[in-house]
Amino acid sequence: MKVLVTGANGQLGQCIKKQASNFSELELHYFSSVNLNITDAEKVTEAFKEGNYDWCINCAAYTNVEKAESEEKKSFSVNAEGAKNIAKACAEFGVKLIHISTDYVFDGEKDSAYVEEDQVNPINVYGASKLKGEEYIQQNLAEYFILRTSWLYSEFGHNFFNTMLRKANEENCVLKITTEQKGTPTNANDLAFASLQIISEQKNAYGVYHFSNEGEATWYDFAKAIFTNADKLGDVELMASNEYKTIAKRPNNSVLSKEKMKNKLQLDIPSWEESLANLQNNL
């Protein structure tokens, strides 16, 4: 099976490249934003026409939550219009789609974990742009998996995990980490593996799904676990804080229920603590 992967140089794209060795039956073709700008509808159509693909994994996204507040047009161009271009090309050439979305489509007011059918209500530009992308896909394509995920990290790129590891090696490091938000750190390698597994096993229960690691945490919990695994907790002055000043509003609760994913697609999902420890043990 031939698979087109957009956003191949991003964090998730690099994780897909890493996990691809587990799926030798898949022929993966990687496109970065340099050789496939998904906001250019003609270029997208051209790439799909030439490739004769069976599946597409759309990892291309504008993900800077803070800058999106001042770059709304750019955020919507990639996350909404780009997703629409991909969906239309998939429909035209008979390609099945896996599209990555976000927990930020919710407002965070719910006390328990969000299920796929819960009311969406994004409270920042990034979340609104990703939700619009979801809607465009649903309007233009029947055979799709929209995978909402949360708090992605990995050994690749700029993310909270790599920032904390860097901070751990600084002298006299003092960190105030928020306890204000609750969610689930998600190892992007697990999301990459699950995406490739859906394709490999030819899953066809199309629709919207939630995928994050199991369990829940605050950003403080996440930071503490990173330092503990790295045996650096004693080297860092780590303080919990309920103050977290940002330009973009964040949902206070963005824990996602994975019951639909586990029941309908029969995918195993490790806990966030287990997956984090596994990654750090193998760095």
Side-chain angles (χ1 to χ4, degrees):
M1 283 178 287
K2 292 182 71 176
V3 184
L4 183 157
V5 181
T6 65
N9 288 349
Q11 175 177 210
L12 183 58
Q14 291 183 75
C15 288
I16 287 173
K17 289 176 185 176
K18 179 182 169 184
Q19 297 301 323
S21 60
N22 297 298
F23 299 90
S24 57
E25 73 280 12
L26 303 183
E27 182 184 318
L28 295 154
H29 297 257
Y30 300 101
F31 290 83
S32 70
S33 58
V34 174
N35 50 22
L36 182 57
N37 178 357
I38 67 167
T39 66
D40 187 328
E42 285 186 18
K43 287 283 195 291
V44 170
T45 301
E46 190 178 297
F48 274 77
K49 187 176 182 179
E50 290 177 359
N52 193 29
Y53 301 105
D54 301 293
W55 287 79
C56 170
I57 307 177
N58 182 30
C59 304
Y62 179 103
T63 58
N64 192 319
V65 178
E66 289 291 273
K67 286 183 74 175
E69 295 298 307
S70 59
E71 295 186 346
E72 184 172 354
K73 186 176 179 182
K74 188 174 180 181
S75 182
F76 271 84
S77 177
V78 178
N79 294 340
E81 298 301 322
K84 179 166 70 173
N85 293 338
I86 294 286
K88 283 187 169 183
C90 283
E92 183 176 351
F93 297 101
V95 179
K96 302 175 186 72
L97 174 65
I98 293 177
H99 173 78
I100 310 304
S101 192
T102 176
D103 53 335
Y104 280 19
V105 298
F106 298 114
D107 60 19
E109 297 300 317
K110 189 180 179 184
D111 293 331
S112 55
Y114 279 95
V115 297
E116 287 79 356
E117 295 75 24
D118 278 327
Q119 181 67 44
V120 289
N121 184 34
I123 56 175
N124 56 44
V125 170
Y126 168 71
S129 68
K130 292 296 287 183
L131 177 59
K132 193 65 181 175
E134 288 188 12
E135 291 169 351
Y136 279 143
I137 289 165
Q138 291 168 316
Q139 290 163 11
N140 288 283
L141 188 62
E143 296 179 319
Y144 65 83
F145 291 92
I146 292 171
L147 307 183
R148 293 176 182 151
T149 192
S150 68
W151 298 21
L152 275 190
Y153 72 91
S154 70
E155 65 271 47
F156 303 111
H158 301 289
N159 55 59
F160 185 84
F161 171 73
N162 283 330
T163 299
M164 291 302 103
L165 286 181
R166 189 175 67 250
K167 292 285 187 184
N169 293 314
E170 294 178 3
E171 285 189 32
N172 305 317
C173 182
V174 179
L175 288 171
K176 280 188 177 181
I177 307 293
T178 184
T179 56
E180 193 176 34
Q181 296 158 37
K182 181 175 65 174
T184 308
T186 303
N187 187 336
N189 287 286
D190 293 337
L191 177 57
F193 189 91
S195 299
L196 294 170
Q197 190 177 359
I198 287 170
I199 296 171
S200 175
E201 297 178 4
Q202 289 287 289
K203 304 289 190 186
N204 60 7
Y206 303 113
V208 178
Y209 289 85
H210 290 169
F211 184 96
S212 62
N213 284 125
E214 291 282 25
E216 58 183 57
T218 65
W219 289 104
Y220 174 83
D221 297 329
F222 188 19
K224 187 176 179 181
I226 293 167
F227 294 134
T228 300
N229 291 340
D231 200 23
K232 292 282 189 179
L233 197 56
D235 301 334
V236 176
E237 189 176 344
L238 183 63
M239 293 181 286
S241 172
N242 59 6
E243 295 178 8
Y244 186 56
K245 291 185 172 64
T246 57
I247 298 167
K249 289 182 180 178
R250 261 75 165 181
N252 286 333
N253 171 38
S254 65
V255 178
L256 302 173
S257 168
K258 275 72 68 175
E259 292 310 303
K260 182 181 176 183
M261 171 73 76
K262 290 186 289 187
N263 293 336
K264 280 198 149 188
L265 302 183
Q266 287 86 47
L267 297 186
D268 293 325
I269 305 174
S271 72
W272 74 265
E273 297 100 329
E274 176 191 347
S275 197
L276 175 64
N278 183 54
L279 177 62
Q280 290 189 255
N281 289 337
N282 288 287
L283 284 179

